[in-house]
Structure formats: structure tokens, C-alpha cells
Amino acid sequence: MKKFLLLYLLSVMGGLKGMAQMSSFNQRIQNQTVQPYRNPLRDSLAAATEALAYHPDSIDLRLKKSSWNIQLEQWEYAKDDLDKVLYIDPTNIAGLFYRAFVNDKMMRYNFARLDYQNLLTLVPGNFEAQLGLALLNQKDKHYTEAYDQINMLIEANPDSAVAFAARAGMEKERNMLETAAYDYQRAYELDTMNIDYLTNLLDLNLLLRRKKESRECLEALMYKGVRPSALKEFGIRLKKIKK
């Protein structure tokens, strides 16, 4: 679940209101054919770094470079560029979102929280910022605050599979297995293509010793093309349920 949410948050970074469009230079880099032995992320990062040497004040380039750094988990480098972006433009929405994410990964929770709060001041009600803040508070053991925030997010977005899955993840961590199973079920109903939701639901049904529901989840995963080898451990656990 955490991996899925990480990918989700990364995917929305480029679409936030206020993020500058890529320059034609960066579009050429992104669209170029990469040889099989080359690492496209590192190639793009190298190109952006080279371009920054000629355009050190370009917010577009710094945001793009920081996105490559983040995907390569180079948190310090990403933070340095984002600090420069926000020095030039303190209200840059994409910069605040990126830096909040990076500060979170660096366990600089108070700084991440401040970036999310500043972003929400600029864009009240922004879904991604509210989700990021709730997940941050869960990670920082502010459990009551995190749960209140995710509840409010679901109330405002009752058709969001991501919000239900985020709450389910919190509940699972806190051993609230019944409610976590309900929320993963709801998330899956809203997004039946998401294998992660179904896998977590299967795990919870097994923990709750719900044999019928576990079998249904397992069969659904096989129907969706998940390799039997990846489901072997779940099958073993299912056989151990007597009822």
C-alpha cells in the first residue's frame, strides 16, 4: 500500500496547478530514443543538469531536475534544487509539493508539514496536499490528527478510491482489521483495476480468517493475471483456515 501511494503522489506532482510546462528542450529529452544499455532517468537528469549550467534561474529546469532526483531517490540533491525554486518563487505550488514530499522522505517531518500547510493556504482543499499531510501525520505518530484528516478527506471525496485505501492502510497499521478490510473493499469497488487494493483485502481477510472472502479475492487475483508463484504464500495461508 505504501508503495502504491508513493507512486500516486509522484504521479500527481507534475499535474498540480501552477507547475510550469516543460520547455521544448526538456520535451526533446523526454521523447528521445534511449539505447537499451542506457538509464533514461540518469540520462534525463544529466541533460537537465547540463542545461541548468546555462540557465541557473530557470524554475522549469530545476523542477524537472528535482523530479529526476526524486525518482532516483536522491533526496538531498532534490531538496537543494527545490530550496532554490522556492527562494526565487516562495508561492510555487509544485515546488512546495515536491519539497514536502522530499522532506517527508528525509524524515524532516516538521518541515514537510509546514510545506503542506503553506500549499493548502495557497490552494485550500487540494486533495493531494491533504492526503500527503494525513499520511505524514500517520508516519509521525500523530494518529488522532491523521485519522481525523483522512476522515474529512473521504467525507469531501466519497468516490475516491485512493482516500479509502489510505485510510485502510492507517487502520491496518493500527490493527483495526475489520474497518481496514471494509475500506479496502470500498477502494476496490471504486477501482477494480487496482491489484494493490485487492491484494491488501486478501491479506486482511486471511488475518480475519474469512475463508470464503479470502478464496474469492485469491480467485479474482488469478483471473486478473497475477502469477501463481506470487500468490503461493496466500494459498498456503488459506489452507490453514479450518472453517
Side-chain angles (χ1 to χ4, degrees):
M1 182 57 210
K2 290 180 179 177
K3 181 178 179 182
F4 167 75
L5 287 173
L6 167 63
L7 293 173
Y8 170 77
L9 288 172
L10 279 171
S11 73
V12 301
M13 286 178 176
L16 287 174
K17 179 183 176 182
M19 175 170 275
Q21 296 294 320
M22 287 195 309
S23 65
S24 58
F25 170 82
N26 284 315
Q27 289 175 339
R28 290 198 299 274
I29 297 223
Q30 187 177 46
N31 296 331
Q32 66 185 358
T33 301
V34 181
Q35 297 301 319
Y37 62 90
R38 304 286 293 276
N39 183 320
L41 285 178
R42 293 190 180 279
D43 287 348
S44 298
L45 175 60
T49 301
E50 182 180 354
L52 268 174
Y54 297 97
H55 307 282
D57 295 326
S58 171
I59 288 178
D60 288 6
L61 282 173
R62 288 206 181 276
L63 287 173
K64 198 61 187 174
K65 178 179 175 294
S66 66
S67 75
W68 302 131
N69 289 135
I70 288 171
Q71 291 179 71
L72 291 166
E73 299 186 1
Q74 298 173 345
W75 312 123
E76 289 283 358
Y77 289 118
K79 180 184 173 299
D80 286 347
D81 277 314
L82 294 166
D83 285 345
K84 291 172 183 175
V85 166
L86 292 166
Y87 178 79
I88 297 170
D89 179 8
T91 61
N92 187 283
I93 293 171
L96 285 169
F97 191 89
Y98 271 105
R99 194 172 68 177
F101 180 83
V102 169
N103 277 324
D104 184 340
K105 300 301 291 185
M106 296 173 70
M107 294 187 292
R108 293 161 46 93
Y109 297 140
N110 288 336
F111 290 102
R113 187 174 290 107
L114 183 60
D115 282 337
Y116 279 130
Q117 290 169 344
N118 287 337
L119 175 54
L120 286 168
T121 298
L122 293 169
V123 191
N126 179 267
F127 178 89
E128 287 78 19
Q130 289 183 85
L131 176 62
L133 184 57
L135 293 172
L136 167 67
N137 282 324
Q138 173 74 7
K139 187 183 296 186
D140 200 23
K141 297 182 171 60
H142 294 192
Y143 297 125
T144 300
E145 189 175 0
Y147 205 57
D148 287 345
Q149 288 168 337
I150 199 65
N151 283 337
M152 288 189 292
L153 191 62
I154 287 175
E155 185 176 348
N157 303 272
D159 295 326
S160 171
V162 171
F164 275 100
R167 187 169 72 178
M170 291 180 182
E171 291 161 341
K172 189 176 181 181
E173 285 184 20
R174 297 174 65 180
N175 205 36
M176 300 163 62
L177 303 185
E178 293 274 357
T179 52
Y182 170 84
D183 280 340
Y184 271 125
Q185 178 68 47
R186 183 69 182 127
Y188 180 64
E189 289 170 357
L190 290 166
D191 182 4
T192 57
M193 299 301 293
N194 193 293
I195 299 298
D196 186 75
Y197 300 160
L198 188 55
T199 303
N200 275 281
L201 180 58
L202 169 58
D203 181 54
L204 282 161
N205 281 327
L206 288 168
L207 290 171
L208 291 164
R209 304 189 66 77
R210 296 172 174 171
K211 191 164 189 176
K212 176 178 179 292
E213 291 84 348
S214 298
R215 184 181 292 110
E216 289 173 351
C217 288
L218 194 59
E219 290 173 352
L221 284 166
M222 290 188 289
Y223 179 79
K224 289 180 179 295
V226 178
R227 291 177 300 175
S229 59
L231 299 172
K232 182 179 179 181
E233 184 62 32
F234 291 119
I236 293 172
R237 290 169 61 189
L238 178 60
K239 289 178 181 178
K240 292 180 180 178
I241 301 176
K242 300 301 181 184
K243 62 178 181 178

